[in-house]
Amino acid sequence: MILFNQETKTFHLKTSKTSYLMKVLETGHLLHLYWGRPLKSENLDYTVRRKDWFSFVANTDNIDAFHLESKEQEYPGYGSTDLRSPAIELEFADGTSATDFRYVDYKIVDGKPALEGLPATYVEANKEAQTLIITLTDKVKNVDVELSFTVFEEYNAIARSVKVINKSADDVKIQRVLSANVDFKDSKFEMIQLSGSWARERHIIRTPLRIGGQCVESRRGASSHAQNPFMALVRKDVTETNGDVYAMSLVYSGNFLANTEVDMYSKARMQIGINPFDFTWLLKAGEEFQAPEAVLVYSNEGLTGMSHTYQNLYGKRLMRGVWRDKARPVLINNWEATYFDFNETKIKEIAKQASEFGIELFVLDDGWFGERNNDDRSLGDWFVNENKIRGGLKKLVDEINGMGMKFGLWFEPEMVCPISKLYEAHPDWCLHIEGRTRSTARRQLILDLSRKEVCDYIIKSVSDVLASANIEYVKWDMNRNMTEIGSAVLPAERQREVAHRYMLGLYHVMDEITSRFPNVLFESCSGGGGRFDPGILYYMPQTWTSDDTDAIERLKIQYGTSMVYPNVAMGCHVSAVPNHQVARITPFATRGISAMCGNFGYELDLTKLTDEEKAQTKAQVAFYKEVRELIQFGDFYRIQSPFENNETAWSFVAKDKSEAVVSFFRTLAVPNDNLATICAVGLDADAIYEDMRTGKLYGGDELMYVGINVPDKVVGGIAEEGKELFAGMPSPVIEGDYAAFIWHFKKVNK
Ligand code: DGJ
């Protein structure tokens, strides 16, 4: 609900668990008043105080003791009387850049207008949300900004975006246009970010705020492995279940900035948006610029409250298409099984074996097209290599369909290799700067998606392949970051628009292809999780979480990813040992339990498994199918963090609390250790649950408050709990390094 109090000129945005208040001052400046637990009243005028700061800070409108710099502002500019980190910075035709935006009017609309050309959260019915659009203007330069705030009442989130409108007769250059800004009255927070690198994505980092700027950002032309477009400020006592959390997540896949500046009065300003670094946008007279959407979440139920809000909203009102609510198939991917060394016979052998295990989808990864026998050529040449796939793609697809499995195919559509037919024909279609080296990464260059003909080529070549056979899944990969960012067709004054124009081109291409093939399941990938962001999820409802398939490394990666993203978005596979990324040897059962954290699959040569591993694979697939709706669409609870403990635990609970899966991992064996117990979370305390392995009954209260016994060895090496976890699994005891256990509880009607 959105209220406007005419008397106090206060806007009150109310979700089920949050209030967000702004006020128009007599001077026309838009103040931020409050963000936090729900309030009943709109009148917070008592909080608007003045102080005669003895400092260098200038008086606003030359009113004594009135400084914008000491106020919490909603969307600050720069160069008038607030000299803190601005949300917007413009360069005008006269070369100056000071702005002073003041209130003009507002409107409230039911539902949520779409953001043209950009991914964004949406409503299915207008009653799900209301949108407030506030117009501010810089009178001197005749430029408006429209601030949009969509209140998702039930989802408990506020989606913000900004549009700049040049109403003047002159050119305006946008130097910076962030999507959200929140000023806090203090800075007694810690900052949480999701950071890492290739094969180590989205590790949780929590640090106290300090005076000055602290930011996470990407300058890589993708949201990146290194940082995720997300930032949370949390009170120091915040735990998984308690305390105040203020978070921002950007629905964008390119260069971003998430910044918190603590000023000289120890007040924090938090912002998120397109990275102003190496970005400008020329706005001609009468033109508009739409900045991407930021989703703001407040939780007073700690980090779990924040994560559930993001997971629910992104799962249901960001992801789209027929697969949004459908159980995702168990897949086998041939990448780590064969790399480039395969032909159709090998592929069919693996597929045959997979079908016998109940696996539902075969994914043919890199190497099926052009002359690609290693990673030095052919990206861009999207036609099948009949030397490897004899008889062509359709024949292979039909044969795999005949085994009862769907067929999926890998593409890397945004790239071109210098050794390719495409590059021979169009050497200027890649991002490049005349006279500079075209730096390759993995021997590839990036196509210039700011150009229409390049986008059209990608749409056509991918569509042609998809139409040529019954391809029901696509893995859309992207394996390098941008360098020498320049476009052959844009004028000099628009070259710094290229990285953003690329994103707009990419979104257009993804929108077009996914709309043409609405029944195909698309999984995005960027060398694993280099573009695991809300922008891409709008087009493709699942992402290959990381190229790191090691069961233990995955604990941190998946745990961190769950901060913002739903489990149904995470691709997780069982792979061979020694693991190809870290050479670690982990038990097969642990690999299975770790990969049952999202969309489950395998990525190894199934024909080379031992008999015992084969039996386990069959059992894992059967067990996963039994619980997959719960895992993919249930509530995820982080119970014990791999960042802080030798033991990790998490669980999935059905929305109606009728079922739960609890997973436990112990990284290193500890001699003479205590007996471990794990307290379940999110169950119905009044209900009775059956442990589906042992048939034993427990109260929900017992499972949550007393705990679940982690089966251990007792004296003499005899298992404390003798039964197999599920058919084919090894003796269910926690033993040795890298051990894991999984429970399935179901409510009994007693
Ligand atoms: C990087 C991906 O993350 C891998 O899964 C695989 O598809 C390779 N690219 C293929 O080149």
Side-chain angles (χ1 to χ4, degrees):
M1 191 195 302
I2 299 172
L3 301 171
F4 181 61
N5 184 322
Q6 196 67 48
E7 209 178 304
T8 60
K9 297 238 174 323
T10 305
F11 296 99
H12 188 171
L13 281 48
K14 287 179 155 188
T15 76
S16 52
K17 295 182 177 171
T18 308
S19 279
Y20 188 103
L21 277 79
M22 298 167 274
K23 176 186 171 69
V24 182
L25 286 183
E26 277 153 28
T27 55
H29 293 106
L30 187 63
L31 282 200
H32 174 77
L33 289 183
Y34 175 81
W35 183 24
R37 291 169 78 139
L39 297 181
K40 291 185 194 67
S41 153
E42 278 78 66
N43 192 353
L44 290 190
D45 280 3
Y46 74 93
T47 64
V48 184
R49 298 196 289 170
R50 287 190 187 178
K51 179 175 161 133
D52 196 5
W53 301 77
F54 180 76
S55 72
F56 280 46
V57 177
N59 291 326
T60 300
D61 288 354
N62 290 330
I63 301 169
D64 281 346
F66 173 50
H67 315 104
L68 275 186
E69 180 146 343
S70 68
K71 301 265 167 290
E72 290 76 59
Q73 292 201 69
E74 197 53 47
Y75 198 70
Y78 176 78
S80 296
T81 55
D82 183 347
L83 305 179
R84 292 173 291 176
S85 172
I88 183 164
E89 195 187 350
L90 304 175
E91 187 185 319
F92 299 104
D94 62 6
T96 64
S97 63
T99 52
D100 185 2
F101 286 100
R102 307 215 186 184
Y103 175 80
V104 179
D105 58 16
Y106 78 95
K107 67 176 175 197
I108 296 172
V109 295
D110 286 339
K112 182 170 191 288
L115 296 196
E116 215 192 310
L118 286 168
T121 54
Y122 60 89
V123 293
E124 285 196 329
N126 274 351
K127 64 176 182 340
E128 289 177 6
Q130 276 188 313
T131 301
L132 165 68
I133 301 164
I134 300 177
T135 303
L136 309 177
T137 195
D138 183 297
K139 273 197 191 134
V140 175
K141 295 296 183 187
N142 205 9
V143 174
D144 285 2
V145 293
E146 278 184 9
L147 308 181
S148 288
F149 301 82
T150 297
V151 177
F152 285 96
E153 196 156 339
E154 288 312 313
Y155 284 101
N156 187 32
I158 297 175
R160 287 183 62 166
S161 66
V162 175
K163 192 192 274 181
V164 186
I165 306 164
N166 181 5
K167 292 186 153 172
S168 76
D170 297 318
D171 289 356
V172 171
K173 217 167 202 187
I174 300 173
Q175 302 283 1
R176 176 184 184 99
V177 55
L178 301 182
S179 299
N181 181 95
V182 174
D183 284 359
F184 293 90
K185 288 189 162 60
D186 66 85
S187 58
K188 294 177 196 126
F189 293 107
E190 289 173 345
M191 183 174 115
I192 295 185
Q193 66 194 71
L194 301 175
S195 304
S197 74
W198 174 80
R200 199 162 27 80
E201 298 92 337
R202 291 172 300 286
H203 280 206
I204 300 170
I205 297 176
R206 183 167 169 169
T207 40
L209 287 185
R210 53 175 170 70
I211 298 275
Q214 41 246 283
C215 70
V216 291
E217 62 183 320
S218 169
R219 294 183 295 272
R220 300 180 166 273
S223 50
S224 88
H225 298 89
Q227 306 290 358
N228 201 256
F230 161 80
M231 177 180 271
L233 296 186
V234 302
R235 293 297 181 191
K236 292 180 181 163
D237 58 355
V238 157
T239 63
E240 272 298 334
T241 46
N242 287 304
D244 290 330
V245 178
Y246 303 83
M248 290 183 178
S249 156
L250 189 69
V251 186
Y252 190 60
S253 315
N255 294 339
F256 74 90
L257 171 72
N259 180 41
T260 296
E261 183 183 65
V262 179
D263 68 14
M264 55 187 162
Y265 309 114
S266 294
K267 287 155 56 134
R269 167 171 284 179
M270 185 189 194
Q271 313 173 308
I272 202 163
I274 293 180
N275 199 339
F277 180 86
D278 202 23
F279 164 84
T280 62
W281 193 273
L282 181 61
L283 212 54
K284 297 262 179 206
E287 285 183 351
E288 301 178 352
F289 179 85
Q290 176 64 60
E293 172 168 293
V295 177
L296 275 60
V297 170
Y298 163 76
S299 156
N300 76 322
E301 294 159 328
L303 294 169
T304 302
M306 173 200 73
S307 298
H308 282 181
T309 300
Y310 277 123
Q311 289 162 352
N312 290 334
L313 183 73
Y314 286 176
K316 295 296 177 206
R317 292 296 178 267
L318 178 68
M319 291 180 185
R320 299 174 301 163
V322 295
W323 282 99
R324 185 188 72 184
D325 304 326
K326 266 215 288 209
R328 311 289 167 82
V330 179
L331 67 80
I332 169 74
N333 177 302
N334 74 306
W335 178 241
E336 286 197 14
T338 64
Y339 295 103
F340 294 102
D341 186 15
F342 62 83
N343 57 23
E344 87 288 347
T345 311
K346 181 70 207 167
I347 293 304
K348 281 189 280 184
E349 275 168 22
I350 297 176
K352 181 88 194 26
Q353 183 65 87
S355 71
E356 285 163 14
F357 295 148
I359 293 174
E360 299 155 310
L361 164 67
F362 182 90
V363 180
L364 180 56
D365 211 280
D366 196 354
W368 59 268
F369 53 91
E371 291 168 3
R372 192 147 165 105
N373 294 317
N374 57 48
D375 60 10
D376 70 351
R377 65 191 61 205
S378 290
L379 292 176
D381 297 346
W382 300 112
F383 44 86
V384 70
N385 180 346
E386 296 224 16
N387 292 327
K388 282 171 110 170
I389 312 290
R390 281 163 296 195
L393 207 51
K394 180 163 180 354
K395 184 162 177 287
L396 176 66
V397 176
D398 289 346
E399 284 176 12
I400 287 181
N401 286 168
M403 296 171 192
M405 279 200 296
K406 295 177 189 298
F407 182 88
L409 197 60
W410 180 96
F411 290 89
E412 196 176 354
E414 300 160 63
M415 300 290 153
V416 62
C417 287
I419 307 177
S420 67
K421 293 204 168 17
L422 180 65
Y423 193 76
E424 265 170 40
H426 300 286
D428 70 332
W429 272 17
C430 61
L431 294 179
H432 67 281
I433 298 174
E434 228 26 78
R436 292 198 182 278
T437 303
R438 299 179 181 197
S439 309
T440 56
R442 214 187 182 209
R443 317 260 177 88
Q444 63 197 57
L445 297 163
I446 304 184
L447 286 169
D448 179 359
L449 270 68
S450 73
R451 295 175 65 166
K452 183 173 178 312
E453 63 275 37
V454 176
C455 293
D456 289 347
Y457 171 80
I458 296 175
I459 292 168
K460 182 168 179 345
S461 53
V462 174
S463 299
D464 284 352
V465 178
L466 294 186
S468 72
N470 185 30
I471 296 162
E472 296 179 82
Y473 162 106
V474 166
K475 179 174 174 187
W476 184 294
D477 206 348
M478 193 286 279
N479 280 301
R480 62 158 295 178
N481 290 151
M482 292 180 185
T483 55
E484 296 92 29
I485 304 170
S487 170
V489 290
L490 285 174
E493 68 271 22
R494 291 203 181 272
Q495 287 296 330
R496 298 178 95 191
E497 298 176 7
V498 172
H500 181 59
R501 283 183 181 273
Y502 178 94
M503 283 303 140
L504 298 178
L506 175 65
Y507 291 147
H508 163 66
V509 167
M510 286 187 166
D511 204 38
E512 185 61 32
I513 295 177
T514 53
S515 321
R516 283 188 192 187
F517 299 92
N519 295 318
V520 171
L521 172 60
F522 285 84
E523 175 155 348
S524 77
C525 171
S526 176
R531 226 170 35 186
F532 201 134
D533 59 59
I536 299 288
L537 281 185
Y538 181 69
Y539 305 97
M540 307 195 169
Q542 59 188 60
T543 300
W544 177 225
T545 312
S546 175
D547 272 350
D548 195 334
T549 56
D550 174 66
I552 299 303
E553 289 300 309
R554 274 297 186 115
L555 301 181
K556 288 183 177 163
I557 296 168
Q558 292 164 185
Y559 205 90
T561 304
S562 77
M563 275 280 157
V564 181
Y565 303 99
N567 289 75
V568 71
M570 291 188 219
C572 312
H573 301 170
V574 173
S575 63
V577 291
N579 174 266
H580 294 193
Q581 292 76 40
V582 293
R584 185 174 286 136
I585 297 175
T586 52
F588 200 84
T590 299
R591 281 176 267 157
I593 294 172
S594 170
M596 285 184 205
C597 183
N599 296 314
F600 187 57
Y602 291 81
E603 188 158 337
L604 74 176
D605 189 344
L606 295 172
T607 65
K608 294 193 178 140
L609 297 183
T610 63
D611 287 347
E612 193 193 313
E613 287 168 340
K614 284 183 180 165
Q616 287 193 48
T617 305
K618 209 168 177 180
Q620 287 178 356
V621 172
F623 176 73
Y624 180 76
K625 284 182 179 171
E626 235 179 274
V627 295
R628 80 167 131 195
E629 304 246 350
L630 174 57
I631 287 182
Q632 295 177 0
F633 302 111
D635 286 333
F636 184 68
Y637 289 93
R638 293 175 295 264
I639 301 178
Q640 220 158 276
S641 168
F643 297 99
E644 292 155 18
N645 304 285
N646 186 37
E647 293 170 348
T648 301
W650 58 55
S651 89
F652 310 85
V653 181
K655 296 270 179 209
D656 64 1
K657 299 182 188 294
S658 59
E659 251 186 293
V661 159
V662 180
S663 311
F664 172 88
F665 306 86
R666 190 177 63 194
T667 302
L668 293 179
V670 178
N672 202 20
D673 200 11
N674 194 6
L675 289 166
T677 46
I678 278 297
C679 287
V681 191
L683 302 182
D684 178 351
D686 298 325
I688 303 292
Y689 290 87
E690 180 179 348
D691 178 336
M692 300 310 287
R693 176 175 65 90
T694 60
K696 284 190 187 161
L697 300 183
Y698 300 91
D701 53 354
E702 292 160 13
L703 295 173
M704 290 194 291
Y705 314 144
V706 182
I708 308 164
N709 288 346
V710 176
D712 208 328
K713 283 209 151 184
V714 292
V715 183
I718 299 157
E720 190 185 16
E721 302 254 12
K723 275 176 103 183
E724 282 180 322
L725 176 53
F726 41 82
M729 294 289 288
S731 174
V733 289
I734 286 293
E735 188 182 22
D737 292 344
Y738 317 128
F741 204 80
I742 193 165
W743 294 259
H744 182 199
F745 296 101
K746 269 191 181 171
K747 211 182 208 180
V748 286
N749 295 325
K750 281 185 183 160

